[in-house]
Amino acid sequence: MPSPRAVILDLGNVLVFHDNALLFHRLGQRAGLPPQEVAQRLTGAGWTAANRGLLDAEGIRKDVCGALGLELPMEEFAPIWSSHFTVHEAVLPRVEGLVGRVKLVLLSNTNALHVAYVRPRLPLLQRFDAVLMSCEVGHVKPEPAFYQLALERAGCAPHEAAFFDDLPEFVEAANALGIRGHVFTDAPAFDAQLKALGL
Ligand SMILES: [Mg+2]
């Protein structure tokens, strides 16, 4: 099988780590709630609406604070809401090495505030051929339309693209469309996966 013409990458827990447990813990401290209660209250309809781009920054603040019975102004809320990110430095050189050799596409389920936080901290994204944030295009994984948009932007057929995501559910959705999906685990495994693909 020829090496892929496009590599489509997830963002969270691939290019940046997002420690949701830490986020729920910090919000819980402010709200006086246990982290698992925070998780339960937040990972419902509002979370999906934010990922679909139906909530802007202020909409997210209101939705999260409302769900937790909190009142935090944006200047306090926004730093906590993005306090759980760490750039995955070990993987960046390998991704940078793909620039110009394949079409590089980012495919992320995320929200307006997290995009605003992560984008300036990940200048490598400027060298991608397309950066598709769910909240900016109105589609979310695992919907086929979101993957199809990535293929369209890469200008290739499904079998010509490799896709990496830490969530098996999203990898399976890619495979169902004929994309060569791989579960991302860590930088050394990613390196081996790319080598096996001839990259
Ligand atoms: Mg992820």
Side-chain angles (χ1 to χ4, degrees), residues 35 48 67 72 88 109 113 122 133 157 166 170 175 178 189 195:
T48 308
L72 290 177
H88 188 178
N109 282 5
L113 277 169
L122 213 51
M133 305 289 196
D166 62 304
F170 294 163
N175 287 335
K195 277 188 184 134

Side-chain angles (χ1 to χ4, degrees), residues 31-190:
L33 293 169
Q36 53 280 28
E37 174 69 20
V38 173
Q40 229 162 36
R41 292 192 191 189
L42 291 190
T43 50
W47 193 275
T48 308
N51 280 352
R52 279 192 191 284
L54 301 176
L55 300 177
D56 61 7
E58 181 55 19
I60 294 166
R61 187 195 68 81
K62 275 192 191 146
D63 185 79
V64 171
C65 289
L68 302 180
L70 262 177
E71 190 43 66
L72 290 177
M74 187 59 90
E75 62 267 26
E76 278 185 62
F77 174 73
I80 297 176
W81 182 242
S82 293
S83 66
H84 61 317
F85 286 112
T86 317
V87 173
H88 188 178
E89 300 289 352
V91 86
L92 298 186
R94 198 60 167 93
V95 174
E96 195 170 7
L98 295 172
V99 172
R101 297 171 58 210
V102 293
K103 292 285 183 185
L104 261 182
V105 179
L106 186 90
L107 195 68
S108 173
N109 282 5
T110 188
N111 62 77
L113 277 169
H114 287 166
V115 170
Y117 182 85
V118 168
R119 233 189 244 276
R121 288 166 176 82
L122 213 51
L124 181 56
L125 290 182
Q126 292 166 24
R127 305 181 66 193
F128 277 52
D129 296 279
V131 173
L132 301 176
M133 305 289 196
S134 63
C135 60
E136 294 177 347
V137 300
H139 298 299
V140 294
K141 292 174 281 188
E143 294 169 356
F146 200 20
Y147 298 86
Q148 276 150 2
L149 184 60
L151 293 172
E152 204 175 287
R153 296 293 294 275
C156 71
H159 70 275
E160 296 175 314
F163 171 70
F164 291 87
D165 199 297
D166 62 304
L167 296 181
E169 179 200 355
F170 294 163
V171 173
E172 281 158 29
N175 287 335
L177 296 170
I179 298 168
R180 295 150 73 178
H182 303 268
V183 175
F184 180 95
T185 54
D186 57 22
F190 181 57

